[in-house]
Amino acid sequence: MIDIKKEIQKDRRAFIKNVLSGTIAGSLLMVIPAGAALDERLPEELPGMRGDDSPFTKNKFAFIVDVTACIGCGSCCVADKNEYNVPDGNYRTWVERYIIDDHDEVFVDSPNGGLDGYTKPRADIPNPVRDTFFVPKLCNMCEKPSCVQVCPVGATYRTDDGFILIDKSRCVGCGYCIQACPYSVRFLNPISRTAEKCTWCYHRVRKGLLPACVSVCPVHARKFGDLNDKTSEVYKLLREPHVISVLKPEMGNQPALHYLGLRREVV
Amino acid sequence: MSVAAHGETLAAVSNFVFPNDFHVHWSLMIVLYPYITGLVAGAFIVSSLYHVFHIKALKPVARFSLLFALAFLICATWPLLNHLGHPERALSMMLTPNPTSAMAGFGYIYSAYFIVLLLEIVFIFRPTVVALKQKATGGMKALYGILSIGSDNVSEKALKVDHKIISFLAAIGIPMACVLHGYVGFIFGGIKANPLWATPLMPLIFLLSACVSGIAGIILTYILLMKLSGKEIDVECVQTLVKFLWGFFILDFVFEMLELFSHFYMATHHWHTLETLYSGPLFNTFWVAQVGIFSVIPFILLMFMSLIRFKDSLLLFFAPIVSLMILIQVLLMRWNVVVGGQLMSKSERGSTTFHPMWLEKEGILPAIIIMVAPVVILWLIGKVLPFWLDDEVAEAA
């Protein structure tokens, strides 16, 4: 009798042990996905990027923002903030609202970088509004980047495929690049105390995925692709007779960020 | 309804600042950095006026100005290190420099200048040090031993060699002092994205203001130290310094105004931004303080002091006042350039504000500590090396 009871208790112990280990193993499996990584289970959005292990790809990337399409919803800003955990008050990308009244006066604002979306009209415009539009801003990925030129330690550098990136482990946090950038896309991260800016989601691009802001844009106002790929949308847009311009061309930085239908009021 | 001309349309009424432009990244520390290096370069020029250009009247302050330069040079990197997000990586600028970066050159220029200044001090003070070593005991004797670089030879022949070395060091020191501070001006002048900074005149203005602040610093400390120790002030020396101060200040002030006038006259689209800056956030610190009070008044005072032979007591009354005003003028100029340049947003449509705090990392208190430190260091140097020649004569007797 006592032996049977012992046996049952043994079983019970083993049962509880099995349940516990099963629960732990199961939850671990839910946290660590087995097999293919998450990004590889998603369809490849940039053809030919997967399987290219070279330090720099042979591609020539370009970004096009369609000013005529942007509705100022702020989805891109939200996606960006989530992707990079951007500290409040700093912006890797933002959306500006332009309002022109019938006296040709220009009113520009970008409360919280457009992160909350433009849900309410501006109440302080004295005259009837003639025109209004939104302009998303992000890193211009210049061919001749001022930030790379001035960085004293080479922490900011340009890759062969056209990305301007920052090596956080080398940045001294002097802020010279922030002063040199004509587009004010850089800031000093208060936590890492190093310079930070938009990377066109280099980590996603290298895995064949579009930048986060591009993939969430509901109206396809943000376009990204390879100019060496003649079937890409960016290639076609830059080749066809569209109204395309860059920001502050007089700076001579030659941005790879282009604007479709950019207005002369935009700085 | 007519559509306005391009330029007019750009002139927006709303104060729009790019979201990343609200924060002023280069604050008090970067205001102090060119101020301190300017004092160093200026004080060195005073010494060189005697050692190279043989302005005999400056003999009383020729040695002191080198020690003054050294004290400030020791502290020149402090504001920079305090400013850096990662000061522990500061040496990367020298070990793995980016050749296209103006900032990467600082370590080399600073070190080279430090070596030249130190060597010049060692050779100028060698006879003094040898004499002091004989009287000193213990630690001080060892220190004087190091400072005499192992040579007690003060024969006429040896001093002649010393003199040649001193002339050579002082001579190469002048272009180096100019490079040190002209270069600091270039750090700002080379930033094309900032219309207030991007001017080829920036290195020149920085250099001239450096000379001005150095001379003013020497006049002020010389008179103060002499009054404190009850020694007799060499009026001829002060008179000569005042004349040099006026000469350099004419150039400095004229170029500062010419730079602004050129912007105004050319009236490119940058002028619109600068105009709103000078008439808005910088109105008080630039027009009222820097130009109105601390440039025009010293300018007129210096003119009278240089052209009319003042009574000695009157000269010695006005000289420190005018020097202090000039020192404030240069500090204001650094503020208006460094901070002022960042108040304008690169949106060309608005400006931000900046008010330094007392206790933050780059606040007013750390700034005061960094400005007091060179004075303390100078006092410590004075314990080892005598500032004035007559001290030496007295001690020898």
Side-chain angles (χ1 to χ4, degrees):
Chain A
M1 195 62 184
I2 297 160
D3 283 355
I4 294 167
K5 267 189 178 169
K6 260 187 185 167
E7 280 303 308
I8 290 169
Q9 272 190 343
K10 229 189 216 170
D11 272 2
R12 209 178 267 158
R13 238 174 237 153
F15 175 74
I16 290 167
K17 261 186 198 167
N18 282 338
V19 169
L20 267 178
S21 54
T23 314
I24 292 165
S27 1
L28 274 176
L29 273 175
M30 284 169 78
V31 177
I32 309 161
L38 183 70
D39 49 72
E40 276 172 26
R41 283 187 268 137
L42 297 169
E44 194 177 45
E45 293 165 320
L46 293 160
M49 289 306 288
R50 285 186 191 161
D52 188 347
D53 291 335
S54 50
F56 302 126
T57 64
K58 294 276 181 286
N59 302 356
K60 194 177 178 223
F61 289 104
F63 203 115
I64 299 180
V65 171
D66 187 352
V67 174
T68 61
C70 180
I71 55 168
C73 66
S75 302
C76 48
C77 303
V78 174
D80 187 82
K81 197 171 171 73
N82 288 344
E83 185 77 19
Y84 297 99
N85 200 12
V86 182
D88 288 345
N90 300 291
Y91 305 89
R92 293 169 74 117
T93 185
W94 69 93
V95 177
E96 296 166 3
R97 170 169 61 183
Y98 280 72
I99 296 170
I100 306 170
D101 72 6
D102 68 356
H103 282 56
D104 293 322
E105 281 183 343
V106 187
F107 297 83
V108 195
D109 66 348
S110 185
N112 200 15
L115 194 69
D116 312 315
Y118 293 90
T119 52
K120 283 183 194 134
R122 257 181 93 154
D124 57 341
I125 312 296
N127 301 305
V129 171
R130 169 160 76 80
D131 198 4
T132 176
F133 53 91
F134 298 101
V135 182
K137 294 272 181 85
L138 61 158
C139 179
N140 283 250
M141 299 289 174
C142 310
E143 189 127 336
K144 293 186 174 141
S146 313
C147 51
V148 173
Q149 184 185 30
V150 302
C151 175
V153 293
T156 277
Y157 58 98
R158 187 173 186 274
T159 69
D160 289 351
D161 35 6
F163 290 87
I164 317 297
L165 302 173
I166 303 165
D167 185 345
K168 258 204 263 185
S169 65
R170 294 191 69 83
C171 176
V172 292
C174 66
Y176 206 12
C177 55
I178 298 170
Q179 308 292 355
C181 174
Y183 307 102
S184 290
V185 301
R186 288 172 166 257
F187 58 89
L188 205 72
N189 186 310
I191 298 145
S192 67
R193 290 173 284 128
T194 54
E196 191 176 318
K197 70 165 188 74
C198 157
T199 58
W200 285 6
C201 284
Y202 183 74
H203 63 297
R204 286 174 59 92
V205 171
R206 284 309 302 253
K207 287 175 177 167
L209 299 174
L210 286 169
C213 59
V214 175
S215 62
V216 298
C217 180
V219 291
H220 198 50
R222 291 178 177 240
K223 305 160 202 294
F224 180 81
D226 173 20
L227 291 179
N228 290 340
D229 174 7
K230 295 195 172 156
T231 63
S232 70
E233 190 188 6
V234 289
Y235 175 81
K236 286 177 190 163
L237 278 171
L238 289 182
R239 247 185 107 82
E240 289 162 4
H242 294 284
V243 180
I244 301 262
S245 39
V246 295
L247 295 172
K248 299 191 180 182
E250 75 282 1
M251 284 291 159
N253 280 27
Q254 301 174 11
L257 166 67
H258 297 80
Y259 282 86
L260 189 60
L262 189 71
R263 303 285 299 265
R264 63 183 185 181
E265 289 83 4
V266 179
V267 176
Chain B
M1 197 104 4
S2 68
V3 172
H6 196 167
E8 282 177 61
T9 315
L10 279 169
V13 284
S14 59
N15 181 41
F16 173 61
V17 175
F18 279 150
N20 287 326
D21 279 350
F22 283 103
H23 185 70
V24 169
H25 286 280
W26 284 4
S27 59
L28 281 182
M29 292 302 124
I30 310 300
V31 172
L32 288 189
Y33 154 61
Y35 190 58
I36 293 176
T37 51
L39 285 167
V40 173
F44 191 87
I45 301 274
V46 172
S47 166
S48 295
L49 284 174
Y50 170 74
H51 286 116
V52 182
F53 297 105
H54 305 293
I55 312 287
K56 293 273 180 276
L58 298 182
K59 195 178 181 186
V61 292
R63 287 171 24 148
F64 170 69
S65 46
L66 283 179
L67 300 178
F68 180 93
L70 179 69
F72 278 90
L73 194 63
I74 288 169
C75 301
T77 55
W78 296 9
L80 294 177
L81 290 170
N82 184 35
H83 163 73
L84 286 187
H86 286 272
E88 77 279 6
R89 296 175 190 163
L91 274 183
S92 310
M93 290 196 202
M94 290 183 81
L95 301 174
T96 54
N98 173 14
T100 63
S101 169
M103 197 181 275
F106 177 74
Y108 297 107
I109 295 172
Y110 174 86
S111 312
Y113 188 61
F114 205 112
I115 292 166
V116 168
L117 183 62
L118 217 53
L119 281 177
E120 196 179 339
I121 288 172
V122 164
F123 279 103
I124 285 180
F125 280 89
R126 208 177 61 84
T128 315
V129 166
V130 169
L132 287 168
K133 190 174 130 188
Q134 267 139 22
K135 278 186 243 159
T137 50
M140 285 304 270
K141 198 176 182 77
L143 182 63
Y144 284 127
I146 296 165
L147 286 174
S148 65
I149 47 170
S151 167
D152 288 355
N153 187 353
V154 283
S155 67
E156 207 171 306
K157 203 177 154 198
L159 289 181
K160 240 183 186 165
V161 175
D162 277 10
H163 189 74
K164 271 187 188 159
I165 295 170
I166 290 163
S167 299
F168 173 73
L169 288 170
I172 62 163
I174 299 168
M176 284 184 81
C178 292
V179 167
L180 177 73
H181 210 72
Y183 156 83
V184 174
F186 180 74
I187 286 199
F188 298 96
I191 296 298
K192 65 180 171 189
N194 191 320
L196 187 84
W197 294 350
T199 157
L201 273 184
M202 201 52 90
L204 183 72
I205 294 173
F206 264 66
L207 187 56
L208 290 168
S209 59
C211 297
V212 163
S213 68
I215 300 169
I218 295 294
I219 297 178
L220 186 66
T221 38
Y222 174 63
I223 295 178
L224 275 183
L225 286 175
M226 284 297 163
K227 286 216 162 137
L228 283 175
S229 58
K231 289 198 186 83
E232 200 185 330
I233 300 167
D234 188 322
V235 181
E236 185 63 26
C237 174
V238 174
Q239 182 77 43
T240 312
L241 281 169
V242 163
K243 277 187 181 159
F244 274 106
L245 184 57
W246 187 48
F248 278 109
F249 191 58
I250 292 171
L251 293 173
D252 180 36
F253 186 49
V254 164
F255 275 109
E256 278 173 17
M257 292 296 104
L258 264 180
E259 197 261 326
L260 192 64
F261 182 76
S262 304
H263 273 300
F264 160 75
Y265 192 78
M266 293 189 288
T268 62
H269 71 286
H270 288 321
W271 174 245
H272 168 70
T273 322
L274 292 178
E275 194 183 19
T276 43
L277 184 73
Y278 281 120
S279 60
L282 285 191
F283 185 80
N284 284 329
T285 51
F286 183 77
W287 288 116
V288 177
Q290 185 191 325
V291 176
I293 300 170
F294 293 102
S295 291
V296 173
I297 297 172
F299 193 92
I300 295 167
L301 270 174
L302 282 170
M303 186 170 70
F304 280 116
M305 287 161 81
S306 304
L307 296 179
I308 302 164
R309 181 78 211 194
F310 274 32
K311 262 199 297 184
D312 287 0
S313 56
L314 209 56
L315 178 76
L316 296 180
F317 173 74
F318 277 119
I321 293 173
V322 94
S323 300
L324 188 64
M325 288 185 88
I326 292 276
L327 283 170
I328 295 169
Q329 192 270 358
V330 176
L331 188 61
L332 281 165
M333 179 262 181
R334 306 287 191 247
W335 169 278
N336 288 326
V337 169
V338 177
V339 175
Q342 296 170 83
L343 294 182
M344 309 177 290
S345 173
K346 288 165 190 163
S347 68
E348 299 175 10
R349 284 202 162 94
S351 55
T352 182
T353 51
F354 174 67
H355 302 288
M357 299 290 173
W358 274 92
L359 293 173
E360 59 190 5
K361 183 184 155 225
E362 297 183 50
I364 302 170
L365 189 67
I368 291 173
I369 292 170
I370 286 172
M371 280 317 287
V372 170
V375 180
V376 176
I377 291 173
L378 187 62
W379 175 76
L380 285 174
I381 292 174
K383 296 270 158 207
V384 182
L385 299 171
F387 290 161
W388 322 111
L389 280 168
D390 53 339
D391 286 354
E392 206 177 309
V393 176
E395 274 169 38

